[in-house]
Amino acid sequence: MPGVQIGIVGKPNVGKSTFFAAATLHDVKIAPYPFTTIEPNVGIGYVRFKCVCKELGVKDNPRNSLCIEGWRFAPIELVDVAGLVPEAWKGRGLGNRFLDHLRRAGALIHVVDAAGSTDSEGRPVEQGSHDPLADIEFLERELDMWIFGMLEKDWKRFAMTVEAMGSKLDKELYKRLSGLSVSEESISEAIDAAGLQSRKPTAWTAENLLEFVKELRARAKPMIIAANKADQPAARQNIERMQEVLKGRYVVIPTSAEAELVLRKAAAASLIKYLPGDNDFETIGRLNEKQEIALELIRKRVLKVWGSTGVQQVVNTLVFDILGYVAVFPVADEHKLSDNQGRVLPDVYLLRRGSTVRDLAYAIHSEFGEKFITAIDAVTGKRIGADDLLVHRSIVKVVAGR
Ligand SMILES: Nc1nc2c(ncn2[C@@H]2O[C@H](COP(=O)(O)OP(=O)(O)OP(=O)(O)O)[C@@H](O)[C@H]2O)c(=O)[nH]1
Ligand SMILES: [Mg+2]
């Protein structure tokens, strides 16, 4: 399984499963009423970036990824969960069960109904009558209360033990929150950001704990907003307002998950030429009248207005800009740019911001990490050190001992 896991969240009936289906081409249940999804859907989506094959003039043989017309598509894992309703953390709707499906997620895509056509519980209402900004506040609160609930129950006893043992609070919190996919560093930063670094844990009030949790959630589960149903007339005004109000807090990207799903299906059926993220499509097959009308509508209401359906852009922005991942091509032969079976640029690895050449070696194989000697940048031919930061789209040969 790929290393980046992203949760798709939001209230019911906003298009989470449609987004998931469009991004993964998995067949999932989509319907215009709340709680269509109960069990989570897990699938592979892709980030898109310019492959190095064209500029280096080589023909590649991708193995863990795809290369289409010079665009690399590297896999990430997407999880589509059931809709969240207000007070889910207390067990309303489907309760905490699916919140637990978000534990492993390193980031979240919050799908919002930008057309304002569903109420706070996902029931259809007149378009434009519900304020999508309210859904953002609510989702933050649900996530916060979920994490708060994990800590609050026996905080007093936990705090007393930490103090009695003279242990470090961030280390102990890290152990308690293992499984939530948070780093010890984020925990320390969150304690500082909440202004609690010099307060004894037994003296933390419920408000202190919640402040800490808010800071932690923002670091542990970075979030992007997919302003969905952007094809609808009422969406534009809401999208502009969301972008204005949330500036500096969240990136808001207009999406039409439905349009993306139609385009990808039409492309899979060889009716059109379209790559996820493209700003237009080209008809190559024979369309019936209904298909022709549907595709023209997508061109007019989505592609011409927003520049793309937004789905690929959401995944890309989250992985590359917000999480800061870099994509690196490891090779065994730095001249042929191949693995030891002659496949050219077979793999691409996505590594977190701040990852080093040594981290890449470990990602290839733990033995490579342990017996690391040096590495070579295949394009410049220069040696690179174990602690050097990995560069996006670089090609690296790791040299390890036997
Ligand atoms: N106009 C428009 N409708 C959309 C779009 N995306 C999804 N929908 C519609 O919204 C409704 C709900 O879609 P789903 O994908 O099932 O929503 P969900 O968020 O997974 O819903 P739950 O599983 O019930 O939480 C369906 O009728 C979709 O066709 C979009 O981009 N534009
Ligand atoms: Mg669903």
Side-chain angles (χ1 to χ4, degrees):
M1 265 299 172
V4 191
Q5 203 205 44
I6 295 173
I8 303 176
V9 297
K11 71 182 186 187
N13 214 6
V14 292
K16 297 180 297 300
S17 295
T18 310
F19 189 106
F20 173 87
T24 62
L25 275 188
H26 278 239
D27 233 344
V28 296
K29 201 163 165 212
I30 294 168
Y33 45 78
F35 298 123
T36 302
T37 307
I38 295 180
E39 289 305 318
N41 299 305
V42 183
I44 303 298
Y46 296 88
V47 287
R48 166 183 174 160
F49 61 97
K50 225 178 181 64
C51 188
V52 292
C53 64
K54 274 199 175 160
E55 63 209 59
L56 295 173
V58 295
K59 172 84 193 79
D60 52 6
N61 317 94
R63 193 177 58 158
N64 81 340
S65 44
L66 309 164
C67 186
I68 310 170
E69 293 170 6
W71 293 102
R72 261 297 160 135
F73 289 87
I76 50 125
E77 191 180 325
L78 288 173
V79 187
D80 163 38
V81 299
L84 274 167
V85 294
E87 319 252 272
W89 64 276
K90 284 186 186 167
R92 278 199 70 227
L94 296 175
N96 264 339
R97 203 149 44 99
F98 47 89
L99 279 168
D100 288 336
H101 296 134
L102 299 175
R103 280 173 177 270
R104 278 204 307 130
L108 304 175
I109 295 170
H110 182 185
V111 181
V112 173
D113 174 356
S117 62
T118 40
D119 70 10
S120 63
E121 316 229 333
R123 289 178 292 247
V125 292
E126 192 193 334
Q127 196 178 120
S129 67
H130 180 83
D131 182 1
L133 273 168
D135 298 340
I136 292 165
E137 305 292 323
F138 128 77
L139 194 96
E140 287 180 337
R141 181 172 161 78
E142 287 305 316
L143 295 172
D144 290 342
M145 293 311 291
W146 167 54
I147 302 175
F148 180 77
M150 293 177 194
L151 290 173
E152 183 253 357
K153 264 180 292 188
D154 60 328
W155 178 259
K156 277 277 169 305
R157 208 173 50 153
F158 167 78
M160 268 160 52
T161 316
V162 171
E163 284 172 26
M165 309 285 287
S167 16
K168 289 198 66 185
L169 179 60
D170 42 9
K171 285 222 158 43
E172 293 306 316
L173 276 171
Y174 178 65
K175 283 191 221 153
R176 279 221 62 190
L177 294 170
S178 73
L180 196 62
S181 152
V182 295
S183 67
E184 202 175 313
E185 201 187 350
S186 312
I187 293 175
S188 314
E189 281 175 19
I191 295 175
D192 288 356
L196 293 165
Q197 59 276 49
S198 49
R199 180 172 287 225
K200 283 183 7 189
T202 46
W204 284 26
T205 61
E207 285 75 50
N208 291 153
L209 190 55
L210 190 56
E211 274 310 309
F212 161 71
V213 163
K214 282 184 187 165
E215 296 291 344
L216 183 65
R217 187 256 311 150
R219 288 169 175 77
K221 310 281 173 193
M223 194 147 76
I224 189 167
I225 313 285
N228 197 39
K229 307 192 187 177
D231 49 277
Q232 294 297 304
R236 170 178 282 276
Q237 213 206 344
N238 280 330
I239 290 168
E240 283 166 0
R241 201 161 46 89
M242 278 193 279
Q243 286 176 330
E244 183 60 36
V245 174
L246 299 171
K247 197 184 279 169
R249 267 172 72 204
Y250 290 115
V251 178
V252 178
I253 295 181
T255 61
S256 176
E258 200 163 73
E260 178 72 6
L261 187 57
V262 170
L263 290 172
R264 288 209 195 181
K265 281 186 173 165
S270 301
L271 293 171
I272 61 169
K273 217 172 119 181
Y274 171 78
L275 288 180
D278 281 355
N279 60 11
D280 202 0
F281 61 87
E282 185 194 329
T283 304
I284 52 171
R286 194 184 295 248
L287 302 177
N288 63 35
E289 199 185 339
K290 223 176 119 205
Q291 292 166 330
E292 174 99 43
I293 292 172
L295 287 169
E296 255 334 295
L297 215 55
I298 288 174
R299 182 175 269 146
K300 189 167 146 239
R301 290 208 183 145
V302 180
L303 301 175
K304 291 274 185 258
V305 179
W306 300 112
S308 77
T309 70
V311 170
Q312 184 67 61
Q313 206 191 338
V314 164
V315 176
N316 264 40
T317 305
L318 184 55
V319 173
F320 290 132
D321 301 345
I322 297 175
L323 295 174
Y325 273 78
V326 290
V328 181
F329 298 86
V331 293
D333 183 323
E334 74 272 32
H335 304 293
K336 294 192 183 125
L337 308 180
S338 68
D339 62 9
N340 46 28
Q341 286 162 58
R343 282 179 295 232
V344 175
L345 301 170
D347 295 333
V348 54
Y349 283 42
L350 293 171
L351 288 115
R352 245 183 196 293
R353 188 193 337 250
S355 296
T356 62
V357 174
R358 193 194 304 280
D359 295 327
L360 172 68
Y362 272 103
I364 298 169
H365 201 291
S366 56
E367 213 169 303
F368 261 59
E370 283 151 21
K371 297 179 179 165
F372 181 91
I373 297 173
T374 186
I376 297 163
D377 180 317
V379 176
T380 61
K382 290 208 175 93
R383 276 174 189 275
I384 34 183
D387 298 323
D388 286 351
L389 292 183
L390 291 168
V391 176
H392 185 45
R393 296 175 71 247
S394 56
I395 307 170
V396 179
K397 176 196 160 90
V398 171
V399 184
R402 282 170 185 279

